[in-house]
Each structure stands twice: as structure tokens, then as C-alpha cells.
Amino acid sequence: YRICADGNNIYCSNVVQVTAENENEKPEEVSLLASYSNGSLTLNWEESEERDFKYYKVVWSQTTATPVYPTDGYLKAESTASNTSFTDDGSKVGSRTAAVDLSRGTHYYSVCVVDSQNQVACSEAVTLVEGVVQ
């Protein structure tokens, strides 16, 4: 920052640099478990203890082994900290552009915790290969 006076001539003070510090720590990751049955994958995770919890983002990818939000989009946003499960049947939801058959190919999932400062921490990924949780 600096202050300048404009008249016949412009006079400015020295520049003073100010650095903002975010004292809010990044959220902690949650542990993610998965089970597959009848063409659907059910994800369950522990409730976040983040004091300024904003939401969970359930993230899915067929190409990224460790999917993260916002890079890989998301299937569901959940703003209630105690809601700790999601069932994916392969439908077109969230940022998924077309329905997929979860019994074929490889699918990667994670759950990301986002706080009010938009800091993100994602769980370890769960991998589904040909309908089998790895």
C-alpha cells in the first residue's frame, strides 16, 4: 500500500507491504470405506470434526487414482456434517457427464472435507475394479 497526493505534482509515500495470514488450519481427512452390491457402490466415512465445516464433496474419477476436489469435480455435495454416506449407482449426477456401468472398468472415489475458508482435505482413495472394491 502507499498513499499518494495528486495536485500539480504527484507525491507518494513509501510502499508498505501487508501479508494476510490464515490462522484456520486445513481440515483433517476422513477415513473412507466402501462396499459394492447389485451394481451400486456405497461409501461411508467418519464424521468430520472440523469446527468450521462447510461441506463434504464426494469425488469420482475414471482416470485419476487419487481424485480431489475441485480438480476432478464431484458427484455430491453434502452440507450436513453428520450425513456420512453416499450410494453411487452410476447415474449421471454432479459433474459426471454420462451414466456409467460400475461393474466395468476402474473407478476411483474420495471424500473431501471443505471448510469455510474453502480449504480442502481429501480421504485416501477407494478403488472399484470390475465391480470389486480393492
Side-chain angles (χ1 to χ4, degrees):
Y1 292 97
R2 71 182 187 171
I3 298 173
C4 296
D6 189 5
N8 291 338
N9 294 312
I10 297 177
Y11 299 98
C12 295
S13 69
N14 293 336
V15 173
V16 176
Q17 182 176 350
V18 178
T19 303
E21 291 184 22
N22 182 357
E23 294 180 5
N24 186 28
E25 292 183 23
K26 183 177 174 181
E28 289 188 27
E29 298 174 3
V30 293
S31 295
L32 181 60
L33 299 172
S35 61
Y36 181 81
S37 179
N38 299 320
S40 295
L41 180 81
T42 300
L43 300 170
N44 292 288
W45 58 92
E46 64 196 20
E47 184 174 337
S48 173
E49 295 181 11
E50 178 59 35
R51 64 181 170 85
D52 64 339
F53 172 86
K54 187 173 181 182
Y55 41 65
Y56 300 113
K57 294 287 189 169
V58 178
V59 185
W60 165 85
S61 178
Q62 285 184 293
T63 57
T64 304
T66 54
V68 297
Y69 173 79
T71 305
D72 296 299
Y74 65 95
L75 297 179
K76 177 172 177 64
E78 177 56 61
S79 61
T80 303
S82 61
N83 290 349
T84 58
S85 68
F86 173 74
T87 299
D88 182 18
D89 64 2
S91 299
K92 178 182 169 185
V93 294
S95 58
R96 185 186 283 154
T97 58
V100 296
D101 182 351
L102 298 178
S103 69
R104 298 179 183 264
T106 302
H107 306 269
Y108 305 100
Y109 294 85
S110 66
V111 172
C112 301
V113 178
V114 182
D115 69 12
S116 64
Q117 301 291 318
N118 292 320
Q119 297 179 109
V120 179
C122 298
S123 67
E124 288 190 18
V126 164
T127 305
L128 179 68
V129 179
E130 304 297 329
V132 177
V133 176
Q134 304 297 299

